[in-house]
C-alpha cells in the first residue's frame, strides 16, 4: 500500500530534561545554618530538544503497532473456540510521516451475503483516512491519532504476484471501516462465524 507524500516533518524526544545546578549563594548557606535543611528543589532548564531521525520514529511507531496488533489478534481469537484466525501480524509506517502507520492483523476467507467465497484482510491504522487507489491507498489522512479499523477484499496481482485489493467486491474492495474497536471486533467475528446461532450472539454484543 502506498500513500500521497506529506510535508517533511521533524521529531524530537521530549522525555529528557536537563536540571540546573543548585545555586551556590550566601543565602543558601544562611538558610542551612538557620533551619538545618537543604533545599533539594532544582529549577529546570528550558527543554533540551534532541531531534530524532525518521528511522528512530518509525522504529518507535512500529513497536507500538506490533504490540497493538498482538493484543488485537488475541482478543479476536479469544472470543470463541470455533472462530480462530491465523496470526499474520506485520506493520508499515508512512515514509514521510513515520509517526503514522498501519498494521495487518490477519487474513481469511468468507462468503459475503451468500456470494462466492472471497479472501479478505483485516488492518488497523493509527490515523483515519479515506481509501484511495493502488497508487495512493490512503487519501485525505487526518493527522489526529484516532484509530481506523478496516477490512478489504484481496487477491493475487496477476502482474507481479503481490497482493492487491479486489475491487470487484462492493466496487472498491472495502468490506468495512470504523473508528470503533467494538464494531471492528464484531465485523471480524461475523466474517469468521460459521453458523447462525453464533452470528446472533455476535450481533448482540
Amino acid at each position: 500500500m502506498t500513500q500521497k507524500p506529506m510535508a517533511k516533518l521533524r521529531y524530537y524526544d521530549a522525555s529528557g530534561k536537563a536540571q540546573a545546578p543548585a545555586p551556590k549563594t550566601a543565602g543558601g548557606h544562611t538558610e542551612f545554618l538557620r533551619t538545618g535543611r537543604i533545599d533539594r528543589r532544582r529549577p529546570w532548564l528550558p527543554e533540551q530538544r534532541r531531534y530524532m531521525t525518521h528511522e528512530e520514529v518509525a522504529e518507535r511507531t512500529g513497536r507500538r503497532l506490533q504490540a497493538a496488533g498482538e493484543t488485537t489478534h488475541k482478543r479476536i481469537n479469544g472470543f470463541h473456540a470455533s472462530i480462530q484466525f491465523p496470526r499474520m501480524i506485520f506493520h508499515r509506517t508512512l515514509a514521510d510521516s513515520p509517526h503514522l502507520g498501519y498494521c495487518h492483523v490477519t487474513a481469511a476467507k468468507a462468503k459475503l451475503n451468500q456470494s462466492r467465497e472471497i479472501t479478505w484482510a483485516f488492518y488497523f491504522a493509527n490515523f483515519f483516512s479515506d481509501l484511495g487507489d493502488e497508487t495512493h491507498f490512503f487519501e485525505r489522512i487526518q493527522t489526529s491519532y484516532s484509530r481506523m479499523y478496516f477490512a478489504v477484499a484481496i487477491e493475487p496481482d496477476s502482474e507481479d504476484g503481490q497482493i492487491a485489493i479486489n475491487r470487484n467486491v462492493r466496487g472498491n474492495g472495502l468490506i468495512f471501516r470504523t473508528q470503533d474497536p467494538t464494531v471492528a471486533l464484531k465485523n471480524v467475528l461475523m466474517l469468521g462465524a460459521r453458523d447462525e446461532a453464533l452470528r446472533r450472539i455476535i450481533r448482540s454484543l
Side-chain angles (χ1 to χ4, degrees), residues 139-204:
E139 297 274 5
R140 291 175 288 280
I141 292 174
Q142 298 179 21
T143 56
S144 65
Y145 283 75
S146 57
R147 190 167 286 182
M148 172 175 69
Y149 302 85
F150 61 102
V152 291
I154 58 174
E155 62 181 350
D157 190 318
S158 58
E159 293 184 2
D160 57 13
Q162 299 295 315
I163 296 299
I165 305 300
N166 181 357
R167 298 187 185 276
N168 293 321
V169 176
R170 297 182 175 176
N172 60 2
L174 183 64
I175 297 173
F176 72 81
R177 179 184 58 158
T178 180
Q179 291 178 284
D180 189 328
T182 301
V183 172
L185 175 65
K186 290 173 67 173
N187 284 333
V188 172
L189 293 174
M190 288 293 286
L191 289 170
R194 299 301 180 184
D195 61 77
E196 186 56 34
L198 193 50
R199 293 189 189 99
R200 284 196 295 270
I201 294 174
I202 295 170
R203 291 190 192 101
S204 68

Side-chain angles (χ1 to χ4, degrees), residues 85-145:
F85 295 103
R87 180 185 175 280
M88 302 173 68
I89 301 171
F90 62 86
H91 64 269
R92 299 286 185 271
T93 55
L94 307 193
D96 294 321
S97 301
H99 65 292
L100 302 177
Y102 62 92
C103 183
H104 179 284
V105 179
T106 191
K109 292 185 177 183
K111 286 187 177 181
L112 298 180
N113 301 323
Q114 306 303 316
S115 64
R116 66 183 180 86
E117 194 171 59
I118 57 105
T119 302
W120 56 271
F122 172 54
Y123 298 82
F124 67 83
N126 66 355
F127 56 86
F128 194 84
S129 76
D130 293 332
L131 301 185
D133 55 26
E134 298 296 339
T135 304
H136 298 119
F137 187 76
F138 297 114
E139 297 274 5
R140 291 175 288 280
I141 292 174
Q142 298 179 21
T143 56
S144 65
Y145 283 75

